[in-house]
Structure formats: C-alpha cells, structure tokens
C-alpha cells in the first residue's frame, strides 16, 4: 500500500515527472499563503470573502492534487490560527466539495467570465445554506433559523462581491495560470 501511495504521489502518467516536485510544493505554499493573506487583509470588511473565489480559481486552472493540497493546507492553517470550532468542521466539507465540482465542470466554466462569475457568486451566497444544514444537525432548527436570518445580508453581499470579482479577475487569472505557469500543456491526469 505504501508503494502504491508513493507511486501515485510522486509520479504522473509520464514516468520521471513528480507531482510533488519542488516547483509544485512552492506553488502550493504560495497559493495557500495568498488565501490566508487575503482572508486576513479583507476580514475586517463584512461581506468580502475571497476564499471561495480562490478555491474555484485553483480548481479551474491547476491540477486537482494541487488545489486539494492547497485547500487542506488552508484548513489546517485556519485551525492553527483560529482554533477548532464547529465552523471548522464545515470547511472540510464546503471547500473540497466546491473544488471538486469546479474541477468537474471546468470545461464549462472556462468558456467565459460570466459563467465563472455566476458560479463563484453562487458559492459565495450558498455558504448560508451549508452552515444552516450544519446547525440543524449539530444544534437544532431554531438555532439554524436564527443564524440563517442573521447571515442573509452578509451572504448576499458575499455572493455579489464574488460575482463582481469573478467578472473582473477571470481573464487575468486565466492568463496567469494557463500562459505564465503553463499548466494547460502538462499531462497531469
């Protein structure tokens, strides 16, 4: 089993190229650092949530193992900085699901910036429903309704802000990831 894991982690379809080579590990660290830095810098402004935009961008333009490793690193860093709460458990469900669905729909989402903007806007707004389901399971429905009603305004703003950022930043991010980093021509999966 260990040999199988080593082969999966450290090789691609083209033998001799490593998935976790120095370049990819450095890029994963940079992408994780970018998520954390923007989360800290924009955390003072209510309704601005860039984590969703970056998770969708990474899943759209980088190999799946890189985006998933970045998400795991981000979630573990959140635990180290903020501690572990009930919200942290939902991070393990929301962000990997978001990345996997984005990765699965990448041919459709890469068509133009409007489609991508609708997608990230939807995920920005949908956080309210993920956490409401979480609150119903862990607490009760009255608590979930109270939390949901207090978060409607903020999550609506998050959805709108993610939509606008998706419209404005789609082409620059596409150029950065596909042309400058050249992940399109690499045969990872």
């Amino acid at each position: 089993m260990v040999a199988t894991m080593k082969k999966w982690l450290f090789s691609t379809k083209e033998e001799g190229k490593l998935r976790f080579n120095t370049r990819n590990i450095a890029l994963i660290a940079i992408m994780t650092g970018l998520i954390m830095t923007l989360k800290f810098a924009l955390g003072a402004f209510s309704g601005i949530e860039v984590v969703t935009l970056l998770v969708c961008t990474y899943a759209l333009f980088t190999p799946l193992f890189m985006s998933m490793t970045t998400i795991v690193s981000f979630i573990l860093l959140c635990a180290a900085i903020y501690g572990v709460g009930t919200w942290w458990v939902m991070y393990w469900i929301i962000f990997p699901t978001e990345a996997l669905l984005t990765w699965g729909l990448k041919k459709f989402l890469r068509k133009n910036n409007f489609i991508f903007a609708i997608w990230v806007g939807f995920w920005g707004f949908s956080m309210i429903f993920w956490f409401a389901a979480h609150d119903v399971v862990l607490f009760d429905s009255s608590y979930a309704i109270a939390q949901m009603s207090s978060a409607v305004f903020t999550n609506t703003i998050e959805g709108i802000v993610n939509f606008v950022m998706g419209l404005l930043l789609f082409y620059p991010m596409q150029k950065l990831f596909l042309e400058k980093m050249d992940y399109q021509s690499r045969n990872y999966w």
Side-chain angles (χ1 to χ4, degrees):
M1 177 147 177
V2 173
T4 306
M5 287 300 291
K6 279 185 181 179
K7 185 175 182 182
W8 183 83
L9 289 173
F10 298 109
S11 67
T12 64
K13 291 179 182 173
E14 300 171 15
E15 286 301 320
K17 287 193 173 184
L18 301 178
R19 280 193 177 118
F20 284 110
N21 57 24
T22 307
R23 178 179 188 255
N24 289 345
I25 291 171
L27 286 174
I28 289 167
I30 290 168
M31 291 188 308
T32 305
L34 182 62
I35 291 177
M36 290 304 296
T37 303
L38 290 176
K39 183 173 173 59
F40 275 137
L42 299 174
F45 305 105
S46 179
I48 298 180
E49 191 264 335
V50 295
V51 176
T52 297
L53 175 73
L54 292 174
V55 166
C56 287
T57 302
Y58 297 160
L60 199 61
F61 296 119
T62 63
L64 184 61
F65 80 94
M66 286 184 68
S67 59
M68 294 305 279
T69 306
T70 302
I71 292 166
V72 168
S73 302
F74 164 70
I75 294 170
L76 292 174
L77 273 174
C78 281
I81 294 169
Y82 300 118
V84 176
T86 57
W87 57 270
W88 185 75
V89 175
M90 282 308 293
Y91 275 22
W92 287 103
I93 298 169
I94 294 171
F95 294 124
T97 302
E98 182 180 319
L100 288 172
L101 288 174
T102 302
W103 182 78
L105 296 170
K106 69 180 172 183
K107 289 191 189 294
F108 176 71
L109 293 172
R110 280 187 182 178
K111 287 186 178 180
N112 66 32
N113 64 333
F114 191 72
I115 294 171
F116 179 73
I118 290 172
W119 182 254
V120 295
F122 163 76
W123 278 101
F125 181 73
S126 72
M127 293 292 182
I128 191 171
F129 301 109
W130 286 96
F131 281 100
H134 165 265
D135 291 341
V136 166
V137 171
L138 289 182
F139 305 107
D140 64 353
S141 59
S142 60
Y143 179 79
I145 291 170
Q147 288 291 96
M148 196 169 160
S149 63
S150 69
V152 167
F153 182 70
T154 303
N155 283 89
T156 302
I157 293 172
E158 285 179 4
I160 293 168
V161 168
N162 277 342
F163 176 79
V164 171
M165 285 192 305
L167 277 176
L168 297 176
L169 298 177
F170 176 77
Y171 289 119
M173 290 184 297
Q174 184 179 33
K175 185 174 183 176
L176 172 72
F177 281 104
L178 296 183
E179 293 175 16
K180 303 293 185 193
M181 297 174 133
D182 191 32
Y183 275 114
Q184 187 174 21
S185 64
R186 294 172 191 247
N187 184 18
Y188 280 100
W189 293 35

